[in-house]
Amino acid sequence: MAEIRPINPNSPEEINLVAERMRLTLMEVVNDDEGSKMYSMEWLVDRVRFHLDPTQCDGAIFLAVEGEAIVGHTIVRIESGEGYFSTFYVVPEARRQSIASEFVRVGEAWMRDRGMTAARTNTAKDNTKLQNLLFGFGYKIDVKSDTMVSLTRQIGSKP
């Protein structure tokens, strides 16, 4: 099983890897061509750093590590009074090993520690893999558009 740990905010290698995988997420969810052109790598690296800067964002990035390899990440933050999952990514060869489920549990615990009682994410309406993962945790689709859905669930309060 992968170890889940926070990103090292002083590691340019980890920051760049998460940014690269944010692009891969977009390519999977939207399509290769459109996803690769949506944001520059500079913007993606800046976005990773945004989540690590407490003066800009109450956020965190968690990595899944197997041995020496980083096999996935999730980014969480507080947004509009709710916990928000910004992105999930697990390398294809490490999928179906409960890593994404562990990201949901760790992310929700992080949110509850900050007093949040609801968690949310947005994704493409065709991203059935993420939707099915979150349905298993009790998330419901509460907003739909032609291309996107918002999934939410009550996560309780800090014990």
Side-chain angles (χ1 to χ4, degrees):
M1 181 64 169
E3 169 198 358
I4 307 297
R5 68 163 173 83
I7 192 172
N8 177 349
N10 299 313
S11 170
E13 296 81 15
E14 289 184 6
I15 290 169
N16 288 330
L17 182 64
V18 170
E20 289 168 14
R21 290 180 174 171
M22 288 170 68
R23 170 163 285 152
L24 291 175
T25 299
L26 291 167
M27 291 168 65
E28 279 187 41
V29 172
V30 181
N31 65 52
D32 285 354
D33 186 50
E34 191 177 334
S36 67
K37 295 176 183 173
M38 287 179 82
Y39 303 104
S40 71
M41 280 307 298
E42 180 181 347
W43 187 90
L44 291 167
V45 167
D46 285 345
R47 194 68 180 162
V48 172
R49 288 191 175 119
F50 165 83
H51 285 92
L52 298 173
D53 182 349
T55 66
Q56 296 185 58
C57 177
D58 187 359
I61 300 172
F62 295 100
L63 305 178
V65 181
E66 289 183 346
E68 298 295 315
I70 296 171
V71 297
H73 76 267
T74 192
I75 300 175
V76 294
R77 67 177 176 262
I78 305 304
E79 182 176 284
S80 302
E82 293 180 317
Y84 183 76
F85 284 100
S86 176
T87 187
F88 291 88
Y89 183 79
V90 177
V91 297
E93 56 273 16
R95 293 179 183 169
R96 314 270 325 144
Q97 297 177 23
S98 300
I99 293 170
S101 293
E102 192 60 21
F103 281 147
V104 174
R105 286 188 278 278
V106 168
E108 287 181 352
W110 180 90
M111 294 169 193
R112 278 191 297 278
D113 285 347
R114 279 149 186 77
M116 299 299 103
T117 59
R120 176 175 56 89
T121 195
N122 298 321
T123 192
K125 75 173 186 175
D126 297 331
N127 187 358
T128 57
K129 290 178 185 178
L130 180 59
Q131 291 174 39
N132 288 335
L133 167 72
L134 295 175
F135 291 158
F137 281 88
Y139 283 74
K140 305 264 189 258
I141 293 176
D142 69 340
V143 175
K144 284 187 177 183
S145 74
D146 290 344
T147 58
M148 300 292 291
V149 296
S150 179
L151 295 106
T152 61
R153 102 172 181 105
Q154 297 301 305
I155 58 172
S157 59
K158 184 177 175 182

